[in-house]
Amino acid sequence: MAIVGQEKMKTALILAVINPALGGVLIRGEKGTAKSTAVRAMVELLPSQETVEGCVYSCDPFSPERWCDDCAAKYGKKTGDKRIIPIKNRRRPLIELPIGATEDRLLGSLNLEKAMTAGESVFEPGLLAQANRGILYVDEVNLLDDFLVDVLLDAAAMGRNFVEREGISVSHPALFTLIGTMNPEEGELRPQLLDRFGLCVEVKGLGDPKLREEVVKERLLFEENPEKYVFERSGKEKELGHRIEEAAERLPKVELTDLALTEAVNISLKLGVDGHRGDLTVIKTAMTLSAWKNKKIDTEMVVEAAELALPHRMRRKPFQDVDFNVKARLAEAEAG
Amino acid sequence: MAIVGQEKMKTALILAVINPALGGVLIRGEKGTAKSTAVRAMVELLPSQETVEGCVYSCDPFSPERWCDDCAAKYGKKTGDKRIIPIKNRRRPLIELPIGATEDRLLGSLNLEKAMTAGESVFEPGLLAQANRGILYVDEVNLLDDFLVDVLLDAAAMGRNFVEREGISVSHPALFTLIGTMNPEEGELRPQLLDRFGLCVEVKGLGDPKLREEVVKERLLFEENPEKYVFERSGKEKELGHRIEEAAERLPKVELTDLALTEAVNISLKLGVDGHRGDLTVIKTAMTLSAWKNKKIDTEMVVEAAELALPHRMRRKPFQDVDFNVKARLAEAEAG
Amino acid sequence: MAIVGQEKMKTALILAVINPALGGVLIRGEKGTAKSTAVRAMVELLPSQETVEGCVYSCDPFSPERWCDDCAAKYGKKTGDKRIIPIKNRRRPLIELPIGATEDRLLGSLNLEKAMTAGESVFEPGLLAQANRGILYVDEVNLLDDFLVDVLLDAAAMGRNFVEREGISVSHPALFTLIGTMNPEEGELRPQLLDRFGLCVEVKGLGDPKLREEVVKERLLFEENPEKYVFERSGKEKELGHRIEEAAERLPKVELTDLALTEAVNISLKLGVDGHRGDLTVIKTAMTLSAWKNKKIDTEMVVEAAELALPHRMRRKPFQDVDFNVKARLAEAEAG
Amino acid sequence: MAIVGQEKMKTALILAVINPALGGVLIRGEKGTAKSTAVRAMVELLPSQETVEGCVYSCDPFSPERWCDDCAAKYGKKTGDKRIIPIKNRRRPLIELPIGATEDRLLGSLNLEKAMTAGESVFEPGLLAQANRGILYVDEVNLLDDFLVDVLLDAAAMGRNFVEREGISVSHPALFTLIGTMNPEEGELRPQLLDRFGLCVEVKGLGDPKLREEVVKERLLFEENPEKYVFERSGKEKELGHRIEEAAERLPKVELTDLALTEAVNISLKLGVDGHRGDLTVIKTAMTLSAWKNKKIDTEMVVEAAELALPHRMRRKPFQDVDFNVKARLAEAEAG
Amino acid sequence: MAIVGQEKMKTALILAVINPALGGVLIRGEKGTAKSTAVRAMVELLPSQETVEGCVYSCDPFSPERWCDDCAAKYGKKTGDKRIIPIKNRRRPLIELPIGATEDRLLGSLNLEKAMTAGESVFEPGLLAQANRGILYVDEVNLLDDFLVDVLLDAAAMGRNFVEREGISVSHPALFTLIGTMNPEEGELRPQLLDRFGLCVEVKGLGDPKLREEVVKERLLFEENPEKYVFERSGKEKELGHRIEEAAERLPKVELTDLALTEAVNISLKLGVDGHRGDLTVIKTAMTLSAWKNKKIDTEMVVEAAELALPHRMRRKPFQDVDFNVKARLAEAEAG
Amino acid sequence: MAIVGQEKMKTALILAVINPALGGVLIRGEKGTAKSTAVRAMVELLPSQETVEGCVYSCDPFSPERWCDDCAAKYGKKTGDKRIIPIKNRRRPLIELPIGATEDRLLGSLNLEKAMTAGESVFEPGLLAQANRGILYVDEVNLLDDFLVDVLLDAAAMGRNFVEREGISVSHPALFTLIGTMNPEEGELRPQLLDRFGLCVEVKGLGDPKLREEVVKERLLFEENPEKYVFERSGKEKELGHRIEEAAERLPKVELTDLALTEAVNISLKLGVDGHRGDLTVIKTAMTLSAWKNKKIDTEMVVEAAELALPHRMRRKPFQDVDFNVKARLAEAEAG
């Protein structure tokens, strides 16, 4: 379904898909602001991808440096290897973490059945394995157990899932775009967890009656006949998916200018953002924007990146919630 | 048993049965206001329905797009398929969620017995499966664990139950009319959960002594001889059931006018309802009212719909409970 | 053992035995006020009853509409059926719910032994099954887990026990007189639970020294030789039991007058009792009183009924406990 | 070991042994006041008793009305039965409830071993079974789980242990003298539990240096050579044990005078003790005193009994602990 | 390693080893005050001991009155018995209770393996069994679960471990010197538990720079080459161990004078120590001091004993911690 | 990856690697200050090490006094022994404790599989075993369960892991450099745990824009091509690793001067550090600094050591966090 309005959220989602290394997106907003709908609509944008057939982690046949142990064992570690790798094309997966999913289901667990029958410990991959090279979506992430959020963010940061539990000591690739939504009325994330989300955007109910009517119409169209709706939109979306794919290809070639770097660090300093993770995310976001817009990096892009990467990292004033007005804060800092 | 007075509650229940996509009804009221009695009385109104014989989810033989995996496998996916589908007629089920029902029982679980004997994981469907195409009733929904409420509302919104737990990863159709009752004296639902109920009505003890006497008489009649009572009423009820059935058939053909849409969005804006879920539910409720009343949609219907769809979505004043006086709030907003 | 003084409690217990549909009695009182003794003394009053021999639920051979599934299967559903039903006479049971009884024991559970041996799930009935057609007594009901109280009251209201748990989905008749005692010093019941008890009486230590001496003497007599004591009293009690039996037979024929109904609703309105459950219980109590006293229903009986049925349903003043002075409140309401 | 001073505690313990129906003794006192020592010293006073040989509940061969089901089955229920009952003489047991004893161990449990081997549910009796016809001692009873205290007091009151748990539904005789000690600094018992202890005494550290020295000397003598100490004291103790035995035989023949009864009720009324349990315990205590002193019951005895039976039942003043100064309170009540 | 300074702690530890019946030592002090080091250094002082070979409780061959059931069964109960008892010499054990040790491990548990294989319940002794006739050391005893502390103190007081748990009902000798350390900054012990420790000393960081330097030097020497360090010190320590052994032999012959007893009781009374446990511990400590110093008991020894035995038993002033200034309190009491 | 700035942290980490007996390093800092990155970068500095091949604890072939029981059994206990010890060279391990690692996984546990198959209890070593002779890293150590922190610090202090749990009683070498990071905004460690960390440093976001830009550049370089980055840096790092190795070899020969010792104790006294652990750590740190700098120990080194070893041991002022300004506090103490 089309997302009406909400430009910042759309940009953040697109950038996070182009560059999973940004560390995910946290979408904050009041109830009923179509956060979940927007995320689900993202799936339809995703270009398909090639995977090693038969691999439970859906390894990328062309990135042997990220292969799982099984692929590495089967197809050799060097790129030049002559073995034939079976390839499968698939839709990029959207894994939704159900709010009651257990730790076992998320991380993977011992396959008890096989353990009993065959007498060997077999690792049963979990949702993090399924999410490899796709999107992992957590609705109401602030209600998730702190420990699970931590595990998610660890895996998102490292692109790997490490499991150290009774009888299991394994790791596997888990490179995914993490998307969380939350309603801050229902409780905040711990600062340490907040900071580890790459980007953070706020969605508000639209104020413009025309846009709101459009939202309702789109939704009704969709509900009336989802298949037809999807089919008709797929043209436009394929185009968007195509643009995302191209941007992802351009990304490794984006060049960072010293000016942009200086600007990014200056902004962080002005806003009182202490950690280096802020600086780094602003720069990486600006570079992804550059790939997306297919333009050289410039000061404006750095500011746009800062608006996505710094709100949840700025020091809060007492009794104040996360402040998304990055530009105002910047102006204030420059003035005062 | 006949429901005396309480017109709003009756309307809400009828609309929710005509259109399960409204997202359920939340009935709020003090103790002893016959909330449960009213809901149980609804069952007797429900027209019977045709189901695929032998299907644990009671799939609709004429809606192959909603079939469960088993039905899809057995009877083909295209409507034009020539295979013979066995059909069974049944009363529409009223599933009551007992307050101590476990998550396993609600969602379904692994059938351990079969798992042990046959060595394969077999999914044992739960109450959500039984509730498919019927009514799921939760008394004292505010006392239910937040997690279970969330699961219920998820399933109600999607019309499917997704189970991701130890050794199980299945989904099945679960399209039901969710009805919850609660006594706000005993604790409120979280705002996020409140918002996800489609309609919300308040029942109060009747103030009119004549009506109260009538309630008592009806109840005594019923208790004296339930079968006779039901038999005698069944005439009237069949008529009502018939009208509901006709309305459900008219629903897909109801036309939304731009005026009604504009009005719905305006009302939401005036009442400070932020999310789009409010707008959407007002419109869908108005359309269902139009089907029920067999009249074109008009402004009045939109206001009536707003009275059912918005009370629990309006911003509350400090120290104030959910405010059901939608019209007064509207007048206030227009004045001020 | 004879109950000295405490007329209201005695009336409430007698009415609840005559008419289990009243919804049970809640006896409130400070420690050491012989609440438990009184309840246990009730058992000796109960006339014996006929049951279907071999039925674990002790079904009534003459009420086929309430038979359990087994009886229904064995002896046909229509009263006119020719099959021979074996009948057994038994004392009406007093089931005491021990304060640590588990949910399994109360509701029934899977018989694991049989499940393992025979490979089939066999339902092992619990205390609710044993209590069918008898009395279920819960001492210190306010200390019981809210969930178990809820289950008890559900079963008491419906006359059936519904079990929905891992691997079990059964229901069976559970029509019993629920009697709970509590010391409000040790914590209150939730309003919703309070409301669902039919009648509510307060016992106080007797103020009259003569009565107190009599209590002690009776108790000493009993402790000295329980069997002799019971034997000697059984004459008087049989007479009382006989009167109860006769009242129960008269009950279905009691006629409700419009005047009484109007009076009952008026009293509820004056006392600010919102729910219909109050009205209904006053009327049913008055009708049971009429059967007990073998007189036509009159205004006085309605007031007497209100004194038993409304104290726990009146709105409480701030910082005030349940107020048993119904008449004073009525006078106040009429005056002011 | 001899108990130096602490006359009231000694009297209470002696009376509770003579008459287990008094409902046990609660000894309250600060740390280090030799409460436990005193209780353990009681054991040595107890005369031996005859039991049915081979009976796990140590039934009394001469009280067939209290026999366990096994004894009843084996030796017939009527006293005149001709079967030979094997008899064994034993020390009366002192069962100490270790603070971490589990519910299973206290009440008894399913014998899993036998259940598995023999395929039948066998009840494995617990400490309550061992305590039958002896003394059950709980140190720091206020730290015990409320539920276990309740179970203990239930069993003590009824002389039977009822077990209703997974797969078990049995009862057996459990007539014991319950003795609990507690340090009120470490938390109070709930009023309901307090009230259910028959007698209640307070021990304080002795103020008289000579007595304290004597306590130390006795203890050192004991520790130096416990066996010798016990042997030497056994003369005196046998005498005391003998007197206790004689008193127990006299007890059933004690006659209650109306004067004493009136006096007992008057005292309760003056002290504001509401429940009848107070009256009853005063009277029973006075009667046991009469048996112990081998004198007719008189007013003085009633007052002495009240001092043991009422302190924990008097209404407490705000912020005040249990008040053992019964006589002062009486005087106050008479004056004011 | 040598303990520098901290004379009171050293005395308390020595006395507790000479006379385990003193009831253990509680060492209180801030973090980093070498409490644990001091305790571990004690082990090296302990003279070796003779045990019954093959006995899991390491029974003393020469104290048949304390034998475990197995030894009693094997070697007869009377000392004059002719059977040959195999004897083994061993170091006296120091058992450290790891902060996470389970109840099972402490008390002993059912040996499941043997229970399954051999079909009999075999008791698997725990740490209390290993500690018999040795030292049981608990670091951070205030962080231990209250229940485990209680069990420890019970066993320490009785010299036996009673286990009453699922399927187990055994007791065995457990006579040990209990040593606990704690940092009061991290929470206090309950008064009842405090009181049950025999002696209580406070350690403070040394104020004298020279002593502190010495501590560091000793520690560095030890860490550099523990074996050499121990070897070199063993001469001095053997001497100390020898003196401890001699004192233990003298202890049973120490004579208590009436003067000392009077003095002990007077001190307790002056300090407001209520319980008799205080009196008794002062006297026993004074007697152990007399054995250690090989001098007749005198007033000075009683005061020294009081300084070790009473600080944790004196009534505390509001908001005040345990007060180790016993002499000042005494002077105050005498003055005021 | 290179660590930019943060000199104190780098020094602390280097010293802790040179001398594991310092007791670990605690790194405190706000979110996003690259604490984890710094620690991970340490691994690349570590020189490789020789281990006994086949030993699960990776024992050092040249330190037989620290061998595990298996190595001791296989290769004899005396150094002069003739048996051939197989030797393997390995990278020094960095074990990261995942925040959800269980106690079992940390300490080791019973190998159930082998226990069942072979009928013997086999100890399955945990992460502490893997960490032997390496680095154990705990991110967000303040969020770890107190009990696990305690166990970690115990093992770190003793160089051994003692496991006393159901059916297991083993110990094995566990000599590792413990490194913990924490963000004090998210909760403090208990004082007792704080004190047991050897060194403690604070990291802050860099204030210098140039340094911050450098951090970002380094990180981008690393992410772009980790293998190349590591390869290129490995030259510099090998040099650093080499210097660390040399320092570790010099360490045992460092001589402590009396002047340094006096200075260390004086500093502790001036700062009000009570425990001896502070003194000892200052001295050991100064000695390690001396080995690292290859200079004789001098006053300056002692002060530098105090800055690393005392901040978390100084008494805190009310409402104040750990104060890293050791020099200022010293000056203050000397002045005032």
Side-chain angles (χ1 to χ4, degrees), chain E residues 30-234:
Chain E
E30 294 200 350
K31 52 186 186 294
T33 40
K35 300 180 295 290
S36 301
T37 307
V39 173
R40 288 185 187 124
M42 279 303 294
V43 202
E44 301 162 24
L45 305 181
L46 296 179
S48 69
Q49 62 187 184
E50 296 184 314
T51 65
V52 175
E53 201 180 344
C55 170
V56 290
Y57 307 106
S58 306
C59 283
D60 178 355
F62 307 113
S63 301
E65 76 281 3
R66 288 197 171 279
W67 280 354
C68 67
D69 296 351
D70 286 355
C71 287
K74 270 200 206 153
Y75 308 114
K77 241 194 156 151
K78 291 156 222 148
T79 327
D81 208 309
K82 289 295 182 209
R83 305 208 194 166
I84 294 160
I85 303 174
I87 291 182
K88 203 179 74 177
N89 207 291
R90 67 156 185 182
R91 277 195 78 76
R92 217 166 288 199
L94 171 77
I95 304 301
E96 298 196 25
L97 187 67
I99 199 165
T102 56
E103 191 190 333
D104 275 17
R105 186 75 196 122
L106 177 63
L107 299 176
S109 59
L110 204 66
N111 184 324
L112 278 177
E113 205 174 326
K114 285 194 203 158
M116 284 182 175
T117 324
E120 47 177 342
S121 339
V122 181
F123 179 67
E124 181 77 27
L127 293 174
L128 285 181
Q130 286 178 34
N132 190 28
R133 304 182 64 219
I135 286 184
L136 183 67
Y137 171 47
V138 192
D139 191 19
E140 307 209 46
V141 66
N142 52 335
L143 300 185
L144 207 66
D145 190 78
D146 268 14
F147 163 60
L148 288 182
V149 180
D150 208 274
V151 163
L152 278 177
L153 288 164
D154 259 348
M158 295 190 284
R160 268 193 108 70
N161 175 27
F162 293 87
V163 187
E164 289 288 353
R165 301 175 11 128
E166 58 290 332
I168 315 173
S169 178
V170 303
S171 82
H172 65 75
L175 184 73
F176 52 86
T177 300
L178 174 65
I179 300 175
T181 57
M182 63 176 277
N183 176 352
E185 287 178 308
E186 306 218 319
E188 193 46 271
L189 280 170
R190 289 196 293 118
Q192 190 80 3
L193 295 178
L194 257 188
D195 178 60
R196 291 172 63 191
F197 271 96
L199 309 182
C200 180
V201 293
E202 184 187 30
V203 291
K204 280 191 182 160
L206 297 170
D208 177 352
K210 282 299 138 206
L211 284 180
R212 287 178 79 141
E213 290 176 22
E214 203 183 319
V215 169
V216 174
K217 278 183 180 166
E218 287 277 339
R219 182 81 206 172
L220 289 174
L221 273 177
F222 171 76
E223 289 191 5
E224 201 180 286
N225 191 335
E227 302 206 345
K228 175 162 166 273
Y229 183 94
V230 168
F231 179 77
E232 284 175 356
R233 287 204 62 87
S234 63

Side-chain angles (χ1 to χ4, degrees), chain E residues 316-321:
Chain E
R316 288 184 227 174
K317 296 174 188 165
F319 310 107
Q320 205 183 317
D321 193 16

Side-chain angles (χ1 to χ4, degrees), chain C residues 3 32 52 60 77 135-136 140 156 162 305 307 310 329 331:
Chain C
I3 314 171
V52 175
D60 178 355
K77 243 198 156 148
I135 286 185
L136 183 66
E140 308 210 44
F162 293 87
E307 286 188 86
L310 296 187
R329 290 277 284 258

Side-chain angles (χ1 to χ4, degrees), chain C residues 262-283:
Chain C
T262 306
E263 180 69 12
V265 168
N266 275 342
I267 289 175
S268 288
L269 281 171
K270 274 181 201 150
L271 294 174
V273 175
D274 266 356
H276 307 299
R277 202 176 280 132
D279 300 359
L280 196 66
T281 313
V282 171
I283 280 300

Side-chain angles (χ1 to χ4, degrees), chain B residues 22-195:
Chain B
L22 288 182
V25 184
L26 177 65
I27 304 176
R28 299 163 61 96
E30 293 200 352
K31 52 185 184 296
T33 41
K35 300 181 295 289
S36 301
T37 306
V39 173
R40 286 181 189 129
M42 281 301 295
V43 203
E44 302 162 24
L45 307 182
L46 297 179
S48 69
Q49 62 187 184
E50 296 184 312
T51 66
V52 175
E53 200 180 344
C55 170
V56 290
Y57 306 107
S58 306
C59 283
D60 179 354
F62 307 112
S63 301
E65 76 282 2
R66 288 196 172 279
W67 280 355
C68 67
D69 296 351
D70 286 355
C71 287
K74 272 198 205 155
Y75 309 112
K77 239 191 160 153
K78 291 156 222 145
T79 325
D81 208 308
K82 290 294 181 209
R83 306 210 193 166
I84 294 162
I85 302 175
I87 291 181
K88 202 179 74 176
N89 207 291
R90 66 155 185 182
R91 278 194 77 77
R92 216 166 288 199
L94 170 77
I95 304 301
E96 297 196 25
L97 188 67
I99 199 166
T102 57
E103 191 189 333
D104 275 17
R105 185 74 197 123
L106 178 64
L107 299 176
S109 59
L110 205 65
N111 183 324
L112 278 178
E113 205 174 325
K114 286 196 203 155
M116 284 182 175
T117 324
E120 47 178 343
S121 338
V122 181
F123 178 68
E124 180 77 26
L127 293 174
L128 285 182
Q130 286 178 34
N132 189 28
R133 304 183 62 220
I135 286 185
L136 184 66
Y137 171 47
V138 192
D139 191 18
E140 307 209 45
V141 67
N142 51 335
L143 300 186
L144 207 68
D145 190 78
D146 268 14
F147 163 61
L148 288 182
V149 180
D150 207 275
V151 163
L152 278 176
L153 288 163
D154 259 348
M158 294 190 286
R160 267 194 108 70
N161 174 28
F162 292 87
V163 187
E164 289 289 352
R165 301 173 13 127
E166 59 292 331
I168 314 174
S169 180
V170 304
S171 81
H172 65 75
L175 185 73
F176 52 87
T177 300
L178 175 65
I179 300 175
T181 56
M182 62 176 279
N183 176 353
E185 287 178 309
E186 305 216 319
E188 194 46 270
L189 280 170
R190 290 195 294 116
Q192 191 81 1
L193 295 178
L194 256 189
D195 178 60

Side-chain angles (χ1 to χ4, degrees), chain D residues 11-301:
Chain D
T11 305
L13 290 171
I14 287 167
L15 298 182
V17 171
I18 296 174
N19 186 1
L22 288 182
V25 183
L26 177 65
I27 305 176
R28 300 163 61 98
E30 293 201 350
K31 53 185 185 294
T33 40
K35 298 181 295 290
S36 301
T37 307
V39 173
R40 287 181 188 130
M42 279 304 293
V43 202
E44 301 162 24
L45 305 181
L46 297 179
S48 68
Q49 62 188 184
E50 295 185 313
T51 65
V52 175
E53 201 180 343
C55 170
V56 291
Y57 306 107
S58 305
C59 283
D60 178 353
F62 308 112
S63 302
E65 77 281 2
R66 290 199 171 277
W67 281 355
C68 66
D69 296 351
D70 287 355
C71 286
K74 270 200 208 155
Y75 308 113
K77 241 195 158 151
K78 292 157 221 146
T79 325
D81 209 310
K82 290 293 181 209
R83 305 210 193 165
I84 294 162
I85 303 174
I87 291 181
K88 204 178 74 177
N89 207 291
R90 67 156 185 183
R91 278 193 78 76
R92 217 166 289 199
L94 172 77
I95 304 303
E96 298 197 25
L97 187 67
I99 198 163
T102 57
E103 191 189 334
D104 275 17
R105 186 75 196 123
L106 177 63
L107 299 177
S109 59
L110 204 66
N111 184 324
L112 278 177
E113 206 174 327
K114 285 195 204 158
M116 285 182 173
T117 325
E120 47 176 342
S121 335
V122 181
F123 178 67
E124 181 76 27
L127 293 174
L128 285 181
Q130 286 178 34
N132 190 29
R133 304 181 63 218
I135 286 185
L136 183 67
Y137 170 47
V138 192
D139 192 18
E140 308 209 44
V141 67
N142 52 335
L143 301 185
L144 207 67
D145 190 78
D146 267 14
F147 164 60
L148 288 182
V149 180
D150 208 274
V151 163
L152 277 177
L153 288 164
D154 260 348
M158 295 190 284
R160 267 193 108 72
N161 175 28
F162 292 87
V163 187
E164 289 289 352
R165 300 171 16 125
E166 58 291 332
I168 315 173
S169 179
V170 302
S171 81
H172 65 76
L175 185 74
F176 52 86
T177 300
L178 175 65
I179 300 175
T181 56
M182 63 176 279
N183 177 353
E185 288 177 308
E186 305 217 319
E188 194 46 90
L189 280 169
R190 289 195 294 116
Q192 190 82 1
L193 295 179
L194 256 189
D195 178 59
R196 290 172 63 191
F197 271 97
L199 310 182
C200 181
V201 292
E202 185 187 28
V203 290
K204 278 192 184 161
L206 298 169
D208 177 353
K210 282 299 137 207
L211 284 180
R212 287 179 77 142
E213 288 176 23
E214 201 183 322
V215 169
V216 174
K217 277 181 180 168
E218 287 278 338
R219 181 82 207 172
L220 289 173
L221 274 177
F222 171 77
E223 288 191 5
E224 201 180 284
N225 191 335
E227 303 206 345
K228 175 161 165 272
Y229 182 93
V230 168
F231 179 77
E232 285 175 357
R233 287 203 61 88
S234 63
K236 295 187 213 169
E237 276 157 7
K238 269 199 180 138
E239 188 201 327
L240 185 55
H242 201 65
R243 284 175 56 204
I244 287 177
E245 208 160 26
E246 284 172 353
E249 277 160 24
R250 276 194 296 270
L251 182 61
K253 293 161 219 148
V254 168
E255 267 182 60
L256 174 61
T257 66
D258 278 355
L259 204 72
L261 181 52
T262 306
E263 180 69 12
V265 169
N266 275 342
I267 288 175
S268 288
L269 281 171
K270 275 181 200 150
L271 294 173
V273 175
D274 266 356
H276 307 299
R277 202 176 281 132
D279 299 358
L280 195 66
T281 313
V282 171
I283 280 300
K284 283 158 80 173
T285 308
M287 290 168 80
T288 316
L289 271 170
S290 157
W292 171 238
K293 298 187 171 177
N294 202 5
K295 302 201 301 176
K296 287 228 166 126
I297 218 165
D298 60 17
T299 315
E300 215 172 314
M301 273 181 203

